[in-house]
Amino acid sequence: MSINYAERIPNNVGLSDNKVLQRALEQWQPKFLDWWREMGPTDFNAAECYLRTATSVDAQGWATYGSLKMPDYRWGIFLADKIPDRRIGFGDLYGQPAWEQVPGEHRSTLRRLIVTQGDTEPASVEQQRLLGHVCPSIYDLRSLFQINVEEGRHLWAMVYLLHAYFGRDGREEAEALLERHSGNRDNPRILNTFNEPVEDWLSLFMFTYFTDRDGKYQLKCLAESGFDPLARTCRFMLTEEAYHMSVGMLGVGRVIKRTVQVMKEIGSEDPAAVRRAGAVDLPTLQRYLNFWCSSSLDLFGSEVSSNAATTFANGIKGRPDENTAYTDHDGRNATVALEQPDGRGGVKREEVPLRNAINEAVREAYLRDCEVGLRIWNRTIAKAGFKSEVRLPSPRFNRTVGWWSGHRFDPAGNFVGEDVWMQRRNGWLPSESDRSFVRSLMQRVTEHGKVAGWIAPPERGVDGKPADYDYVRL
């Protein structure tokens, strides 16, 4: 499906046929651009960046590359091609026709889900807005800007749905998406993870690996929705989300590659010696991983949730890959055994209705996906001749949402008392000393073909270009 780039707002939804909606979005557009200039990547609006954009939503056109300034990026509204005679694939309405309009009884629930998803998109741009000043290479700077402009477009995707299907309430919610700001004390973003500071590139790589992967799973669930415009929107967003996660996987991999090179050069795994040599020691990297993974696990919600059961039953939000990953699309009478704290420092198992455990099913699928990158990273360590490994923390560790919230467990999932937690938390999570050290490595490198000393060079470039291509002209 082609995209009309002759229009002020590029789209493939026939926006020019709905003048009321077109005018409303054209009134929102200047506010979005003001937000971008104020809260987007600072001091880089004049830079020429080699970025991809979509000219169609098929495989031939969704990634078209060219150089442009970020404020000139053609943010627009792109929905995946419509599936003829699409049916709801789960819950009580299984097999019924998907909805083209919002059912009145589900209006508030769908609006809440769209707003929550939409709020994460500008939040991540705000979290990352200062990182260009400490980029490890021009290649990495371009990766950051690609993520930023696509998160901006994902905001447009949700704003279109709010304007097109939710009337005045939707327009007001679209305004509020530009009024909340990451980390703002008075008007923060909705989800806690999106208020966390991202002050260094190790945090960025962990964020894009773990937190953007949560975004992938949320989009996959919404892509199953009986509300077809939402499902089509999310299906196309997923094509762009994959790149964001690859930045994280390759970025962490390059950090580890450089670390083990340094360890071999100095003949030592001692963290202090590795730091003195200007690399990120593996224990510090593990602590960053523990933080961003556990924070991202909270985004899936409580292990048992009546809201999740209701949205599944009503065909609003499914499970990722519902048609291929599951055989029981109803789940009305099924149960699953879940672990929970027993109140005495131990763990017990409890049978709960499957529908109420949807959040946990999605979280478990997410963790299996996360393991893929760790296997690759650990092969790099082993290939260099070292026995160290990086590991995912237990889902019980450092949780602030759900059953495990308020309980203290170590990264292996063992119960610990509050006194032990306070004594050892800096060995499990980044301390201020860790963060200060990592920030000290963040020296900006923009010389053509050069890379900062704490990270290995990329193995390949973008769009067939060499890794040392001049991707951003400052």
Side-chain angles (χ1 to χ4, degrees), residues 83 96 131 192 335 422:
I83 299 173
Q96 295 188 20
L131 290 179
N192 287 339
T335 62
M422 295 305 296

Side-chain angles (χ1 to χ4, degrees), residues 106-118:
H106 302 319
R107 184 181 180 85
S108 62
T109 300
L110 277 164
R111 188 180 71 232
R112 174 179 56 81
L113 289 171
I114 291 168
V115 167
T116 302
Q117 181 63 43

Side-chain angles (χ1 to χ4, degrees), residues 94-171:
Y94 179 82
Q96 295 188 20
W99 316 310
E100 292 300 326
Q101 298 295 326
V102 177
E105 65 271 28
H106 302 319
R107 184 181 180 85
S108 62
T109 300
L110 277 164
R111 188 180 71 232
R112 174 179 56 81
L113 289 171
I114 291 168
V115 167
T116 302
Q117 181 63 43
D119 194 70
T120 67
E121 314 296 354
S124 61
V125 177
E126 293 169 351
Q127 287 172 292
Q128 300 161 17
R129 62 191 297 265
L130 299 177
L131 290 179
H133 295 287
V134 290
C135 61
S137 73
I138 286 292
Y139 167 91
D140 292 295
L141 188 62
R142 182 253 163 222
S143 297
L144 173 67
F145 293 160
Q146 183 69 65
I147 292 170
N148 292 162
V149 295
E150 288 179 350
E151 299 291 18
R153 202 206 66 72
H154 293 177
L155 171 61
W156 268 95
M158 296 295 113
V159 165
Y160 161 72
L161 295 174
L162 291 170
H163 273 267
Y165 295 98
F166 293 91
R168 176 183 293 181
D169 290 344
R171 293 191 296 273

Side-chain angles (χ1 to χ4, degrees), residues 128-368:
Q128 300 161 17
R129 62 191 297 265
L130 299 177
L131 290 179
H133 295 287
V134 290
C135 61
S137 73
I138 286 292
Y139 167 91
D140 292 295
L141 188 62
R142 182 253 163 222
S143 297
L144 173 67
F145 293 160
Q146 183 69 65
I147 292 170
N148 292 162
V149 295
E150 288 179 350
E151 299 291 18
R153 202 206 66 72
H154 293 177
L155 171 61
W156 268 95
M158 296 295 113
V159 165
Y160 161 72
L161 295 174
L162 291 170
H163 273 267
Y165 295 98
F166 293 91
R168 176 183 293 181
D169 290 344
R171 293 191 296 273
E172 291 176 353
E173 294 283 15
E175 298 283 334
L177 288 171
L178 298 177
E179 294 168 357
R180 289 186 290 271
H181 297 306
S182 177
N184 185 285
R185 180 178 299 178
D186 299 320
N187 198 9
R189 292 297 176 180
I190 294 171
L191 300 174
N192 287 339
T193 302
F194 293 89
N195 291 303
E196 295 288 351
V198 181
E199 299 175 325
D200 57 75
W201 280 74
L202 182 58
S203 292
L204 174 72
F205 294 143
M206 294 295 180
F207 180 97
T208 50
Y209 188 79
F210 289 106
T211 309
D212 279 323
R213 194 170 306 276
D214 161 78
K216 166 188 171 180
Y217 277 82
Q218 301 300 338
L219 291 175
K220 285 169 80 74
C221 292
L222 294 173
E224 302 288 340
S225 177
F227 179 39
D228 201 46
L230 173 59
R232 292 171 60 199
T233 296
C234 293
R235 286 206 306 274
F236 183 69
M237 289 169 69
L238 281 164
T239 63
E240 297 173 324
E241 198 72 35
Y243 175 74
H244 307 180
M245 292 181 292
S246 76
V247 169
M249 188 175 77
L250 294 173
V252 175
R254 289 165 56 209
V255 175
I256 290 174
K257 182 177 180 180
R258 178 57 185 152
T259 296
V260 295
Q261 286 174 345
V262 167
M263 287 160 56
K264 291 181 73 172
E265 289 168 3
I266 65 176
S268 173
E269 299 182 53
D270 176 53
V274 173
R275 287 188 175 198
R276 287 194 298 271
V280 179
D281 56 289
L282 291 179
T284 295
L285 186 140
Q286 179 69 64
R287 289 192 286 273
Y288 270 69
L289 188 158
N290 289 346
F291 174 80
W292 285 106
C293 182
S294 60
S295 181
S296 300
L297 288 175
D298 281 343
L299 295 172
F300 291 90
S302 298
E303 288 78 5
V304 172
S305 168
S306 59
N307 285 337
T310 299
T311 57
F312 182 85
N314 291 332
I316 295 171
K317 184 179 180 183
R319 292 170 292 188
D321 306 307
E322 180 70 41
N323 288 332
T324 57
Y326 303 94
T327 56
D328 177 6
H329 304 300
D330 181 278
R332 187 194 311 265
N333 299 314
T335 62
V336 294
L338 298 184
E339 291 184 341
Q340 63 171 298
D342 65 5
R344 301 185 300 275
V347 176
K348 65 180 180 180
R349 295 182 71 83
E350 177 180 334
E351 290 286 331
V352 300
L354 183 149
R355 288 184 173 186
N356 291 77
I358 292 292
N359 287 347
E360 190 61 15
V362 180
R363 186 165 22 234
E364 290 173 355
Y366 163 86
L367 284 170
R368 289 192 295 272

Side-chain angles (χ1 to χ4, degrees), residues 20-68:
V20 173
L21 176 59
Q22 184 180 38
R23 284 194 296 271
L25 288 169
E26 287 177 349
Q27 290 173 359
W28 188 83
Q29 187 179 45
K31 299 173 185 177
F32 167 81
L33 291 172
D34 287 345
W35 167 82
W36 179 269
R37 284 187 284 266
E38 179 184 358
M39 301 301 296
T42 58
D43 302 326
F44 291 98
N45 284 327
E48 289 278 345
C49 308
Y50 189 71
L51 300 173
R52 74 177 184 190
T53 189
T55 55
S56 67
V57 296
D58 56 26
Q60 289 70 42
W62 78 269
T64 302
Y65 289 84
S67 293
L68 72 160

